[in-house]
Amino acid sequence: MLVKNFDHLWELAKEKQGKRIAVVSADDVEILHIIDMAEAEGLAEFVLLGDADTMREIIAKEGFKIKAELLHQPDHAQAAQKAVEMVVGGEAGTLMKGMLHSSTFLKAILNKEKGLNTGRHITQVSLMEKEDADGLMLLTDCAISVAPDLMGKKEILENAVDLARGLGYEKPKAAALASVEVVNPAMPETVDAALLTMMANRGQIKNCIVDGPLAFDNAYSAEAARIKGIDSPVAGNADILLMPNLTVGNAVSKAISYVGKKNLIAATVGARVPVVFNSRTETDKGKLYSIALANYLVD
């Protein structure tokens, strides 16, 4: 089933009886506020790890109606490891970052012996609603991968393809972005884009159609592609926009959010399960959509 838009995702998450989300270091008023809203909306069930006394104090003071189980794990590293163990053991479906350092959170996830490591890099995907068609558009990587080489881009793309297929795309169309549509050896991102296209054509990248280099305008807009005379199954019809580096990805996603005033939700992929890993500056609505997404995708 194709997830048509954020509201559709919201309803699908509410209909699904998923496993609990383990929230690491949840002893923070902002985190508990989001959990309170998510429970009230029926988006997911939770188990909260952190300082249990602090969580109880915040819940009582703020008048939250949280029903989740509280597990006393005040040490951040131990809480992260416990949450991972719960996912591995089937006690939780996935995990969510609370008030702890990202490095501590990721270290537990990527532990090769006890974690959720798949051998792939952990990457980030920003999702937005398509304007002229049903479905969500995926932009990646906008937050984690700084300057990926060719094989790094291949992994970023494969992670996004897996996510897109979970959202109902049987064979998503991916545009490898650059600032121009022609290969120029002086612009390495155009060479990488062309190589990724060839790799997909030869089956080295599976379950997707890739084309590039494509500039953002003709990857996003069918009219721009028509004006430029670009004949491509992806141009103007992309489901995935593969960014050449973090600087571009970060700027594009923030421009869409702050200038374009569009809602974006974040997904962290590459582990055995999708992880809820929101920025503190994300809106409450964006955080709730991210929880809905994780709950919907967890088996």
Side-chain angles (χ1 to χ4, degrees):
M1 179 195 305
L2 179 67
V3 177
K4 297 178 181 180
N5 51 46
F6 290 158
D7 287 341
H8 188 209
L9 173 65
W10 188 278
E11 293 306 316
L12 290 172
K14 290 173 68 173
E15 292 171 5
K16 183 174 180 181
Q17 298 297 316
K19 294 181 179 178
R20 297 183 299 176
I21 297 175
V23 186
V24 182
S25 301
D27 42 3
D28 171 79
V29 65
E30 292 182 14
I31 299 297
L32 292 171
H33 173 57
I34 293 298
I35 302 305
D36 186 58
M37 289 193 293
E39 283 192 343
E41 291 289 342
L43 291 179
E45 296 181 0
F46 300 89
V47 54
L48 310 181
L49 295 84
D51 188 305
D53 291 336
T54 300
M55 287 190 282
R56 290 189 188 96
E57 288 175 8
I58 294 172
I59 290 169
K61 179 179 178 181
E62 300 295 328
F64 295 148
K65 296 178 173 58
I66 291 173
K67 300 176 183 177
E69 178 185 3
L70 308 183
L71 293 183
H72 186 64
Q73 289 283 351
D75 181 90
H76 290 181
Q78 291 179 11
Q81 186 57 54
K82 175 62 177 177
V84 168
E85 290 173 0
M86 293 180 74
V87 175
V88 172
E91 298 175 71
T94 188
L95 62 164
M96 172 178 167
K97 180 181 175 292
M99 194 52 57
L100 77 164
H101 289 299
S102 297
S103 58
T104 303
F105 186 63
L106 288 173
K107 184 178 180 180
I109 293 171
L110 295 175
N111 185 305
K112 291 183 178 180
E113 295 180 359
K114 301 179 181 179
L116 301 169
N117 199 323
T118 64
R120 284 188 186 176
H121 287 103
I122 296 291
T123 58
Q124 185 266 5
V125 180
S126 292
L127 300 94
M128 67 178 183
E129 296 174 322
K130 290 186 176 181
E131 283 193 357
D132 301 321
D134 286 341
L136 302 178
M137 180 174 286
L138 288 66
L139 294 75
T140 187
D141 182 327
C142 304
I144 295 177
S145 305
V146 177
D149 60 12
L150 175 64
M151 298 311 289
K153 291 176 183 178
K154 176 178 179 287
E155 285 197 3
I156 292 169
L157 181 55
E158 288 171 334
N159 285 346
V161 168
D162 286 348
L163 177 57
R165 285 169 61 81
L167 294 170
Y169 290 105
E170 183 177 348
K171 199 166 187 178
K173 300 177 179 68
L177 296 188
S179 56
V180 295
E181 299 80 40
V182 296
V183 176
N184 182 344
M187 305 172 74
E189 64 275 12
T190 67
V191 177
D192 285 351
L195 289 172
L196 290 166
T197 302
M198 182 62 71
M199 291 167 76
N201 289 342
R202 293 186 172 186
Q204 289 175 261
I205 305 173
K206 302 184 184 302
N207 300 317
C208 63
I209 299 169
V210 181
D211 195 18
L214 291 171
F216 182 93
D217 57 348
N218 49 67
Y220 183 79
S221 166
E223 179 65 10
R226 184 191 65 78
I227 291 170
K228 290 189 176 181
I230 298 172
D231 182 16
S232 161
V234 175
N237 195 29
D239 305 309
I240 299 171
L241 301 180
L242 177 66
M243 304 294 159
N245 55 52
L246 180 61
T247 298
V248 173
N250 185 269
V252 167
S253 64
K254 287 183 177 176
I256 290 170
S257 179
Y258 286 91
V259 180
K261 305 298 183 182
K262 290 184 176 295
N263 287 320
L264 287 175
I265 63 176
T268 302
V269 292
R272 281 169 46 187
V273 294
V275 176
V276 185
F277 197 155
N278 288 312
S279 166
R280 286 181 64 86
T281 60
E282 179 61 80
T283 64
D284 287 351
K285 195 72 169 180
K287 292 173 183 177
L288 290 171
Y289 277 131
S290 294
I291 289 170
L293 176 64
N295 186 45
Y296 175 68
L297 292 173
V298 169
D299 293 330

